[in-house]
Amino acid sequence: MSQVAILVLSVEWLLFGSFHFTFRELTEAQIPSFIPFKTFVAITTGMAEVVIGILILLPSTRRWAALASLVLLGLFLPAVYNILANDSAIPGSVAWRNLWRVAVVPNNVVLVLFALHLWRSPDAVAMGPARVLEDVLKRRQEPRRPRPPLMVAVVMFGANVAGFLVILASGWAYTTAVIWGLMCLATGALVGFLFGVPRVTLDAARRVTHRPNSNIEVVSDWLTKTIVGVGLIEFHAIGGFVRNISAELGRALSLQVGGEGPATSFAQALIVYFFVAGIIQGYLLTRMYLSAQFEVYESPAVETKEP
């Protein structure tokens, strides 16, 4: 049951969260008329759904992702009512509209039950259907575990949301700016990952059967030294490089919206902001999560028990 709940919640959040961006007008049509800033709401909830879909897969954040799923499903109740009550909420044929209306309520009920199940037992193994209702209604008494560093995840998510909302409110070409922001974020995350790759250490007092492949450590060490060395040597040219690519991006943004002048300042801020945010996030995620996973999965391969 737990595996099914994890799979369904993750797939649905990732799938429908991405629809908020690819079918933004359809998403905005489902939002009731009394809710302002529909574009902001559609994009923000889409980001939240994608993040929850990822966090539901991680055991350390699954319980909080399940709780966030319940909150999000509660916030979606006005949209569900709008879908059921107004034909304008679902453009298309009558058959397509009726299909949505028939499926939306049962689907949300299933998501609520799965989220409750994972909130009660985030680490539970598969169980029979007879115990599902009991597990949902009665919380098991288990020792409290240390809370995962959710504050770091919230801050990183908030930083990304703030950046994309500024892009949305700027009035420049939205798609081009978002693609550049994602590219800078991914590039910075790669740099942060290279600087944060953990090292495998061996205890000489214990017998070693074999050493795990550490090519990624060698590549990381070589690239980080290269980046630092080249950066120090060509430090004077970094400013000119940023100005040049900012000018190119600024011209592209202004031409697409018919502006009179290039958005160079906006482009420069976008590049620097998302690149720095990517470095910080890539480094923190690598140090906080990847190091622990390396230790868990490589410890049996590195060590053997003494007889």
Side-chain angles (χ1 to χ4, degrees):
M1 177 64 186
S2 296
Q3 288 83 350
V4 175
I6 294 169
L7 179 62
V8 171
L9 282 172
S10 179
V11 170
E12 288 220 18
W13 284 137
L14 291 173
L15 181 63
F16 288 103
S18 63
F19 285 172
H20 284 224
F21 303 95
T22 54
F23 303 103
R24 184 161 54 90
E25 295 181 357
L26 176 61
T27 304
E28 293 177 7
Q30 297 174 1
I31 301 175
S33 58
F34 64 86
I35 297 179
F37 309 110
K38 291 187 177 182
T39 302
F40 169 80
V41 173
I43 293 176
T44 304
T45 53
M47 290 182 178
E49 290 181 22
V50 172
V51 171
I52 293 173
I54 296 174
L55 295 181
I56 207 76
L57 298 173
L58 305 176
S60 59
T61 57
R62 184 171 299 143
R63 185 168 187 266
W64 297 102
L67 181 60
S69 299
L70 293 173
V71 173
L72 205 57
L73 288 168
L75 295 176
F76 285 167
L77 288 178
V80 173
Y81 175 80
N82 190 44
I83 292 173
L84 297 176
N86 299 320
D87 292 340
S88 60
I90 307 177
S93 63
V94 176
W96 173 250
R97 191 179 301 118
N98 291 336
L99 178 63
W100 264 89
R101 288 172 172 171
V102 169
V104 63
V105 173
N107 179 74
N108 282 19
V109 170
V110 171
L111 293 182
V112 168
L113 292 177
F114 282 160
L116 280 172
H117 172 69
L118 293 179
W119 181 60
R120 299 290 188 180
S121 302
D123 300 323
V125 296
M127 58 182 63
R131 297 184 58 189
V132 174
L133 185 59
E134 177 186 358
D135 183 67
V136 170
L137 299 178
K138 183 179 179 181
R139 184 175 182 178
R140 297 177 180 177
Q141 298 297 328
E142 297 180 353
R144 296 182 63 86
R145 300 182 177 183
R147 294 184 178 181
L150 286 179
M151 183 57 66
V152 176
V154 170
V155 171
M156 291 190 296
F157 176 68
N160 294 338
V161 171
F164 287 113
L165 290 180
V166 169
I167 292 175
L168 179 64
S170 65
W172 300 106
Y174 175 75
T175 304
T176 302
V178 168
I179 291 175
W180 270 80
L182 292 174
M183 180 187 68
C184 294
L185 193 66
T187 304
L190 176 61
V191 175
F193 167 78
L194 293 175
F195 278 89
V197 170
R199 303 291 190 267
V200 176
T201 58
L202 301 177
D203 189 350
R206 299 175 180 175
R207 291 188 303 172
V208 178
T209 57
H210 68 279
R211 176 171 178 155
N213 191 313
S214 59
N215 289 341
I216 185 64
E217 299 176 21
V218 177
V219 173
S220 170
D221 185 62
W222 179 76
L223 287 177
T224 50
K225 291 178 180 178
T226 302
I227 292 172
V228 173
V230 174
L232 292 175
I233 295 174
E234 301 293 336
F235 184 78
H236 63 282
I238 295 178
F241 173 75
V242 174
R243 283 193 297 270
N244 290 335
I245 60 175
S246 299
E248 292 292 334
L249 176 58
R251 281 192 291 270
L253 295 176
S254 60
L255 288 175
Q256 291 187 27
V257 297
E260 297 180 356
T264 305
S265 299
F266 174 78
Q268 187 171 357
L270 183 150
I271 292 171
V272 174
Y273 178 84
F274 281 104
F275 182 72
V276 174
I279 292 177
I280 296 173
Q281 295 176 27
Y283 180 81
L284 289 178
L285 291 175
T286 303
R287 295 295 298 168
M288 292 170 59
Y289 296 103
L290 189 61
S291 298
Q293 294 301 317
F294 274 14
E295 183 177 354
V296 169
Y297 288 104
E298 292 186 353
S299 292
V302 174
E303 303 172 0
T304 58
K305 294 183 178 180
E306 295 290 344

